[in-house]
mmCIF file of all heavy atoms in Angstrom:
data_model
loop_
_atom_site.group_PDB
_atom_site.id
_atom_site.type_symbol
_atom_site.label_atom_id
_atom_site.label_comp_id
_atom_site.label_asym_id
_atom_site.label_seq_id
_atom_site.Cartn_x
_atom_site.Cartn_y
_atom_site.Cartn_z
ATOM 1 N N ALA A 1 0.815 -1.186 0.038
ATOM 2 C CA ALA A 1 0.014 0.007 -0.042
ATOM 3 C C ALA A 1 0.887 1.237 0.003
ATOM 4 O O ALA A 1 0.530 2.258 -0.676
ATOM 5 C CB ALA A 1 -0.987 -0.014 1.215
ATOM 6 N N PHE A 2 1.954 1.230 0.716
ATOM 7 C CA PHE A 2 2.874 2.302 0.740
ATOM 8 C C PHE A 2 3.475 2.542 -0.577
ATOM 9 O O PHE A 2 3.622 3.689 -1.168
ATOM 10 C CB PHE A 2 4.022 2.122 1.799
ATOM 11 C CG PHE A 2 5.013 3.194 1.818
ATOM 12 C CD1 PHE A 2 4.763 4.452 2.374
ATOM 13 C CD2 PHE A 2 6.299 2.984 1.447
ATOM 14 C CE1 PHE A 2 5.660 5.498 2.383
ATOM 15 C CE2 PHE A 2 7.272 3.990 1.408
ATOM 16 C CZ PHE A 2 6.941 5.149 1.938
ATOM 17 N N LEU A 3 3.884 1.418 -1.282
ATOM 18 C CA LEU A 3 4.449 1.559 -2.571
ATOM 19 C C LEU A 3 3.498 2.113 -3.603
ATOM 20 O O LEU A 3 3.783 2.953 -4.472
ATOM 21 C CB LEU A 3 4.980 0.114 -3.085
ATOM 22 C CG LEU A 3 6.288 -0.367 -2.494
ATOM 23 C CD1 LEU A 3 6.470 -1.791 -2.844
ATOM 24 C CD2 LEU A 3 7.414 0.509 -2.847
ATOM 25 N N LEU A 4 2.166 1.716 -3.505
ATOM 26 C CA LEU A 4 1.158 2.211 -4.338
ATOM 27 C C LEU A 4 0.881 3.668 -4.083
ATOM 28 O O LEU A 4 0.576 4.450 -4.983
ATOM 29 C CB LEU A 4 -0.082 1.398 -4.225
ATOM 30 C CG LEU A 4 -0.119 0.055 -4.871
ATOM 31 C CD1 LEU A 4 -1.389 -0.710 -4.532
ATOM 32 C CD2 LEU A 4 0.087 0.091 -6.374
ATOM 33 N N ALA A 5 0.962 4.028 -2.840
ATOM 34 C CA ALA A 5 0.773 5.455 -2.532
ATOM 35 C C ALA A 5 1.837 6.354 -3.176
ATOM 36 O O ALA A 5 1.621 7.576 -3.480
ATOM 37 C CB ALA A 5 0.791 5.695 -0.968
ATOM 38 N N ILE A 6 3.011 5.804 -3.321
ATOM 39 C CA ILE A 6 4.023 6.487 -4.135
ATOM 40 C C ILE A 6 3.884 6.396 -5.626
ATOM 41 O O ILE A 6 4.067 7.285 -6.361
ATOM 42 C CB ILE A 6 5.486 6.074 -3.677
ATOM 43 C CG1 ILE A 6 5.692 6.446 -2.215
ATOM 44 C CG2 ILE A 6 6.585 6.671 -4.538
ATOM 45 C CD1 ILE A 6 6.882 5.778 -1.590
ATOM 46 N N PHE A 7 3.590 5.219 -6.052
ATOM 47 C CA PHE A 7 3.553 4.854 -7.509
ATOM 48 C C PHE A 7 2.415 5.602 -8.273
ATOM 49 O O PHE A 7 2.674 6.160 -9.296
ATOM 50 C CB PHE A 7 3.364 3.373 -7.741
ATOM 51 C CG PHE A 7 3.168 2.979 -9.103
ATOM 52 C CD1 PHE A 7 4.131 2.855 -9.971
ATOM 53 C CD2 PHE A 7 1.853 2.532 -9.554
ATOM 54 C CE1 PHE A 7 4.014 2.489 -11.298
ATOM 55 C CE2 PHE A 7 1.655 2.205 -10.841
ATOM 56 C CZ PHE A 7 2.673 2.117 -11.716
ATOM 57 N N ILE A 8 1.200 5.706 -7.626
ATOM 58 C CA ILE A 8 0.069 6.239 -8.315
ATOM 59 C C ILE A 8 0.279 7.710 -8.687
ATOM 60 O O ILE A 8 0.095 8.122 -9.869
ATOM 61 C CB ILE A 8 -1.279 5.975 -7.554
ATOM 62 C CG1 ILE A 8 -1.548 4.468 -7.644
ATOM 63 C CG2 ILE A 8 -2.362 6.830 -8.090
ATOM 64 C CD1 ILE A 8 -2.707 4.004 -6.852
ATOM 65 N N PRO A 9 0.594 8.545 -7.712
ATOM 66 C CA PRO A 9 0.834 10.013 -8.129
ATOM 67 C C PRO A 9 2.035 10.261 -9.002
ATOM 68 O O PRO A 9 1.938 11.026 -9.994
ATOM 69 C CB PRO A 9 1.135 10.759 -6.740
ATOM 70 C CG PRO A 9 0.599 9.884 -5.721
ATOM 71 C CD PRO A 9 0.718 8.462 -6.227
ATOM 72 N N PHE A 10 3.180 9.382 -8.837
ATOM 73 C CA PHE A 10 4.245 9.511 -9.651
ATOM 74 C C PHE A 10 3.810 9.121 -11.108
ATOM 75 O O PHE A 10 4.285 9.739 -12.092
ATOM 76 C CB PHE A 10 5.452 8.560 -9.167
ATOM 77 C CG PHE A 10 6.689 8.542 -10.060
ATOM 78 C CD1 PHE A 10 7.488 9.696 -9.950
ATOM 79 C CD2 PHE A 10 6.872 7.538 -10.872
ATOM 80 C CE1 PHE A 10 8.619 9.700 -10.757
ATOM 81 C CE2 PHE A 10 8.002 7.501 -11.621
ATOM 82 C CZ PHE A 10 8.891 8.646 -11.622
ATOM 83 N N SER A 11 3.029 8.050 -11.231
ATOM 84 C CA SER A 11 2.658 7.662 -12.553
ATOM 85 C C SER A 11 1.748 8.710 -13.214
ATOM 86 O O SER A 11 1.909 9.034 -14.408
ATOM 87 C CB SER A 11 1.828 6.367 -12.398
ATOM 88 O OG SER A 11 1.403 5.916 -13.651
ATOM 89 N N TYR A 12 0.849 9.404 -12.490
ATOM 90 C CA TYR A 12 0.071 10.461 -13.064
ATOM 91 C C TYR A 12 0.976 11.578 -13.521
ATOM 92 O O TYR A 12 0.712 12.120 -14.649
ATOM 93 C CB TYR A 12 -0.963 11.041 -11.997
ATOM 94 C CG TYR A 12 -1.765 12.133 -12.477
ATOM 95 C CD1 TYR A 12 -2.879 11.866 -13.343
ATOM 96 C CD2 TYR A 12 -1.464 13.449 -12.280
ATOM 97 C CE1 TYR A 12 -3.635 12.939 -13.800
ATOM 98 C CE2 TYR A 12 -2.216 14.490 -12.736
ATOM 99 C CZ TYR A 12 -3.261 14.234 -13.566
ATOM 100 O OH TYR A 12 -4.050 15.232 -14.038
ATOM 101 N N PHE A 13 1.919 12.040 -12.745
ATOM 102 C CA PHE A 13 2.803 13.085 -13.112
ATOM 103 C C PHE A 13 3.587 12.804 -14.276
ATOM 104 O O PHE A 13 3.910 13.657 -15.070
ATOM 105 C CB PHE A 13 3.624 13.594 -11.894
ATOM 106 C CG PHE A 13 2.782 14.296 -10.875
ATOM 107 C CD1 PHE A 13 2.748 13.780 -9.495
ATOM 108 C CD2 PHE A 13 1.921 15.336 -11.101
ATOM 109 C CE1 PHE A 13 1.925 14.316 -8.520
ATOM 110 C CE2 PHE A 13 1.119 15.941 -10.193
ATOM 111 C CZ PHE A 13 1.080 15.420 -8.909
ATOM 112 N N MET A 14 4.072 11.547 -14.421
ATOM 113 C CA MET A 14 4.861 11.104 -15.580
ATOM 114 C C MET A 14 3.958 11.159 -16.857
ATOM 115 O O MET A 14 4.401 11.567 -17.875
ATOM 116 C CB MET A 14 5.445 9.700 -15.342
ATOM 117 C CG MET A 14 6.525 9.609 -14.456
ATOM 118 S SD MET A 14 7.909 10.752 -14.821
ATOM 119 C CE MET A 14 8.472 10.040 -16.327
ATOM 120 N N ASP A 15 2.696 10.676 -16.661
ATOM 121 C CA ASP A 15 1.722 10.754 -17.852
ATOM 122 C C ASP A 15 1.592 12.233 -18.349
ATOM 123 O O ASP A 15 1.580 12.546 -19.454
ATOM 124 C CB ASP A 15 0.439 10.153 -17.434
ATOM 125 C CG ASP A 15 0.496 8.635 -17.531
ATOM 126 O OD1 ASP A 15 1.562 8.043 -17.891
ATOM 127 O OD2 ASP A 15 -0.602 8.045 -17.098
ATOM 128 N N ARG A 16 1.415 13.097 -17.249
ATOM 129 C CA ARG A 16 1.220 14.484 -17.528
ATOM 130 C C ARG A 16 2.453 15.132 -18.212
ATOM 131 O O ARG A 16 2.383 15.938 -19.164
ATOM 132 C CB ARG A 16 0.907 15.296 -16.259
ATOM 133 C CG ARG A 16 0.382 16.690 -16.522
ATOM 134 C CD ARG A 16 -0.084 17.260 -15.249
ATOM 135 N NE ARG A 16 0.959 17.637 -14.434
ATOM 136 C CZ ARG A 16 0.930 18.373 -13.306
ATOM 137 N NH1 ARG A 16 -0.301 18.747 -12.894
ATOM 138 N NH2 ARG A 16 1.896 18.712 -12.574
ATOM 139 N N LEU A 17 3.690 14.738 -17.749
ATOM 140 C CA LEU A 17 4.920 15.226 -18.382
ATOM 141 C C LEU A 17 4.983 14.811 -19.820
ATOM 142 O O LEU A 17 5.296 15.583 -20.729
ATOM 143 C CB LEU A 17 6.117 14.690 -17.601
ATOM 144 C CG LEU A 17 7.473 15.163 -18.065
ATOM 145 C CD1 LEU A 17 7.882 16.522 -17.456
ATOM 146 C CD2 LEU A 17 8.486 14.138 -17.781
ATOM 147 N N VAL A 18 4.685 13.561 -20.112
ATOM 148 C CA VAL A 18 4.794 13.018 -21.459
ATOM 149 C C VAL A 18 3.781 13.713 -22.314
ATOM 150 O O VAL A 18 3.947 14.093 -23.444
ATOM 151 C CB VAL A 18 4.524 11.488 -21.491
ATOM 152 C CG1 VAL A 18 4.409 11.011 -22.874
ATOM 153 C CG2 VAL A 18 5.852 10.836 -20.870
ATOM 154 N N TRP A 19 2.496 13.847 -21.877
ATOM 155 C CA TRP A 19 1.454 14.567 -22.562
ATOM 156 C C TRP A 19 1.730 15.960 -22.892
ATOM 157 O O TRP A 19 1.640 16.439 -24.030
ATOM 158 C CB TRP A 19 0.163 14.447 -21.733
ATOM 159 C CG TRP A 19 -0.939 15.276 -22.355
ATOM 160 C CD1 TRP A 19 -1.483 16.454 -21.850
ATOM 161 C CD2 TRP A 19 -1.735 15.069 -23.537
ATOM 162 N NE1 TRP A 19 -2.442 16.916 -22.678
ATOM 163 C CE2 TRP A 19 -2.694 16.029 -23.673
ATOM 164 C CE3 TRP A 19 -1.718 13.977 -24.392
ATOM 165 C CZ2 TRP A 19 -3.554 16.051 -24.762
ATOM 166 C CZ3 TRP A 19 -2.641 13.967 -25.456
ATOM 167 C CH2 TRP A 19 -3.469 14.956 -25.633
ATOM 168 N N ARG A 20 2.277 16.726 -21.952
ATOM 169 C CA ARG A 20 2.598 18.127 -22.207
ATOM 170 C C ARG A 20 3.786 18.259 -23.163
ATOM 171 O O ARG A 20 3.785 19.114 -24.052
ATOM 172 C CB ARG A 20 3.049 18.874 -20.895
ATOM 173 C CG ARG A 20 1.893 19.141 -20.004
ATOM 174 C CD ARG A 20 2.316 19.864 -18.809
ATOM 175 N NE ARG A 20 1.190 20.297 -18.002
ATOM 176 C CZ ARG A 20 1.306 20.902 -16.806
ATOM 177 N NH1 ARG A 20 2.490 21.111 -16.290
ATOM 178 N NH2 ARG A 20 0.203 21.293 -16.106
ATOM 179 N N SER A 21 4.851 17.395 -23.059
ATOM 180 C CA SER A 21 5.913 17.467 -24.009
ATOM 181 C C SER A 21 5.403 17.101 -25.453
ATOM 182 O O SER A 21 5.867 17.729 -26.410
ATOM 183 C CB SER A 21 7.056 16.517 -23.663
ATOM 184 O OG SER A 21 6.676 15.165 -23.679
ATOM 185 N N GLN A 22 4.473 16.149 -25.540
ATOM 186 C CA GLN A 22 3.913 15.883 -26.902
ATOM 187 C C GLN A 22 3.130 17.002 -27.389
ATOM 188 O O GLN A 22 3.217 17.345 -28.645
ATOM 189 C CB GLN A 22 3.017 14.624 -26.754
ATOM 190 C CG GLN A 22 2.304 14.224 -28.007
ATOM 191 C CD GLN A 22 3.215 13.663 -29.056
ATOM 192 O OE1 GLN A 22 4.359 13.267 -28.706
ATOM 193 N NE2 GLN A 22 2.728 13.502 -30.306
ATOM 194 N N GLU A 23 2.382 17.688 -26.616
ATOM 195 C CA GLU A 23 1.560 18.815 -26.992
ATOM 196 C C GLU A 23 2.494 19.982 -27.483
ATOM 197 O O GLU A 23 2.200 20.641 -28.501
ATOM 198 C CB GLU A 23 0.649 19.289 -25.879
ATOM 199 C CG GLU A 23 -0.513 18.355 -25.579
ATOM 200 C CD GLU A 23 -1.415 18.295 -26.715
ATOM 201 O OE1 GLU A 23 -1.926 19.293 -27.136
ATOM 202 O OE2 GLU A 23 -1.713 17.180 -27.181
ATOM 203 N N LYS A 24 3.552 20.244 -26.795
ATOM 204 C CA LYS A 24 4.561 21.267 -27.189
ATOM 205 C C LYS A 24 5.126 20.928 -28.472
ATOM 206 O O LYS A 24 5.309 21.760 -29.371
ATOM 207 C CB LYS A 24 5.649 21.382 -26.116
ATOM 208 C CG LYS A 24 5.220 22.034 -24.833
ATOM 209 C CD LYS A 24 6.275 22.161 -23.866
ATOM 210 C CE LYS A 24 5.788 22.755 -22.564
ATOM 211 N NZ LYS A 24 6.857 22.775 -21.520
ATOM 212 N N ARG A 25 5.492 19.641 -28.686
ATOM 213 C CA ARG A 25 6.008 19.214 -29.945
ATOM 214 C C ARG A 25 5.041 19.401 -31.141
ATOM 215 O O ARG A 25 5.500 19.859 -32.175
ATOM 216 C CB ARG A 25 6.467 17.710 -29.792
ATOM 217 C CG ARG A 25 7.492 17.281 -30.885
ATOM 218 C CD ARG A 25 8.009 15.899 -30.666
ATOM 219 N NE ARG A 25 8.441 15.644 -29.240
ATOM 220 C CZ ARG A 25 7.971 14.672 -28.449
ATOM 221 N NH1 ARG A 25 7.192 13.892 -28.894
ATOM 222 N NH2 ARG A 25 8.418 14.559 -27.234
ATOM 223 N N LEU A 26 3.848 19.019 -30.899
ATOM 224 C CA LEU A 26 2.839 19.126 -31.967
ATOM 225 C C LEU A 26 2.632 20.628 -32.268
ATOM 226 O O LEU A 26 2.394 21.021 -33.417
ATOM 227 C CB LEU A 26 1.499 18.537 -31.496
ATOM 228 C CG LEU A 26 1.454 17.003 -31.593
ATOM 229 C CD1 LEU A 26 0.075 16.508 -31.007
ATOM 230 C CD2 LEU A 26 1.678 16.452 -32.922
ATOM 231 N N ALA A 27 2.644 21.597 -31.281
ATOM 232 C CA ALA A 27 2.457 22.915 -31.485
ATOM 233 C C ALA A 27 3.598 23.543 -32.248
ATOM 234 O O ALA A 27 3.407 24.349 -33.107
ATOM 235 C CB ALA A 27 2.292 23.652 -30.139
ATOM 236 N N ARG A 28 4.848 23.022 -31.992
ATOM 237 C CA ARG A 28 5.956 23.501 -32.749
ATOM 238 C C ARG A 28 5.882 23.077 -34.173
ATOM 239 O O ARG A 28 6.217 23.864 -35.058
ATOM 240 C CB ARG A 28 7.298 22.916 -32.104
ATOM 241 C CG ARG A 28 8.034 23.930 -31.320
ATOM 242 C CD ARG A 28 9.380 23.336 -30.902
ATOM 243 N NE ARG A 28 9.054 22.341 -29.926
ATOM 244 C CZ ARG A 28 9.890 21.408 -29.641
ATOM 245 N NH1 ARG A 28 11.119 21.333 -30.147
ATOM 246 N NH2 ARG A 28 9.586 20.440 -28.751
ATOM 247 N N THR A 29 5.434 21.827 -34.407
ATOM 248 C CA THR A 29 5.436 21.453 -35.842
ATOM 249 C C THR A 29 4.232 22.072 -36.555
ATOM 250 O O THR A 29 4.378 22.354 -37.697
ATOM 251 C CB THR A 29 5.219 19.868 -35.962
ATOM 252 O OG1 THR A 29 4.030 19.432 -35.220
ATOM 253 C CG2 THR A 29 6.473 19.181 -35.341
ATOM 254 N N LYS A 30 3.178 22.393 -35.867
ATOM 255 C CA LYS A 30 2.064 23.096 -36.527
ATOM 256 C C LYS A 30 2.398 24.529 -36.881
ATOM 257 O O LYS A 30 1.965 25.064 -37.865
ATOM 258 C CB LYS A 30 0.830 23.018 -35.655
ATOM 259 C CG LYS A 30 0.132 21.675 -35.696
ATOM 260 C CD LYS A 30 -1.112 21.757 -34.917
ATOM 261 C CE LYS A 30 -1.821 20.386 -34.873
ATOM 262 N NZ LYS A 30 -2.921 20.333 -33.996
ATOM 263 N N SER A 31 3.182 25.163 -35.947
ATOM 264 C CA SER A 31 3.580 26.560 -36.315
ATOM 265 C C SER A 31 4.693 26.688 -37.344
ATOM 266 O O SER A 31 4.966 27.792 -37.780
ATOM 267 C CB SER A 31 4.052 27.263 -34.959
ATOM 268 O OG SER A 31 5.242 26.613 -34.527
ATOM 269 N N GLY A 32 5.309 25.578 -37.620
ATOM 270 C CA GLY A 32 6.257 25.514 -38.772
ATOM 271 C C GLY A 32 7.742 25.630 -38.223
ATOM 272 O O GLY A 32 8.669 25.397 -38.942
ATOM 273 N N GLY A 33 7.941 25.968 -36.951
ATOM 274 C CA GLY A 33 9.268 26.033 -36.481
ATOM 275 C C GLY A 33 9.673 24.714 -35.837
ATOM 276 O O GLY A 33 8.955 23.908 -35.383
ATOM 277 N N ARG A 34 10.979 24.484 -35.815
ATOM 278 C CA ARG A 34 11.489 23.302 -35.280
ATOM 279 C C ARG A 34 12.663 23.515 -34.443
ATOM 280 O O ARG A 34 13.418 24.236 -34.512
ATOM 281 C CB ARG A 34 11.889 22.292 -36.331
ATOM 282 C CG ARG A 34 12.086 20.944 -35.723
ATOM 283 C CD ARG A 34 11.785 19.834 -36.724
ATOM 284 N NE ARG A 34 11.286 18.777 -35.767
ATOM 285 C CZ ARG A 34 11.697 17.609 -35.722
ATOM 286 N NH1 ARG A 34 12.560 17.133 -36.601
ATOM 287 N NH2 ARG A 34 11.292 16.714 -34.905
#
């Protein structure tokens, strides 16, 4: 239970980090700059 209490928020924040970086990458490619 202690491991899950650490794993669940960490997993959410990692998903959020990956999602935001993907969104930034898509925004850069749509604006034409790289």
Side-chain angles (χ1 to χ4, degrees):
F2 178 71
L3 286 171
L4 285 174
I6 294 170
F7 174 75
I8 290 174
F10 180 76
S11 182
Y12 178 80
F13 292 122
M14 287 303 295
D15 283 356
R16 192 171 73 173
L17 180 89
V18 170
W19 171 252
R20 285 182 175 176
S21 66
Q22 177 71 15
E23 289 295 306
K24 287 178 184 176
R25 199 174 310 124
L26 288 175
R28 254 187 294 162
T29 57
K30 284 183 182 177
S31 66
R34 194 152 209 230

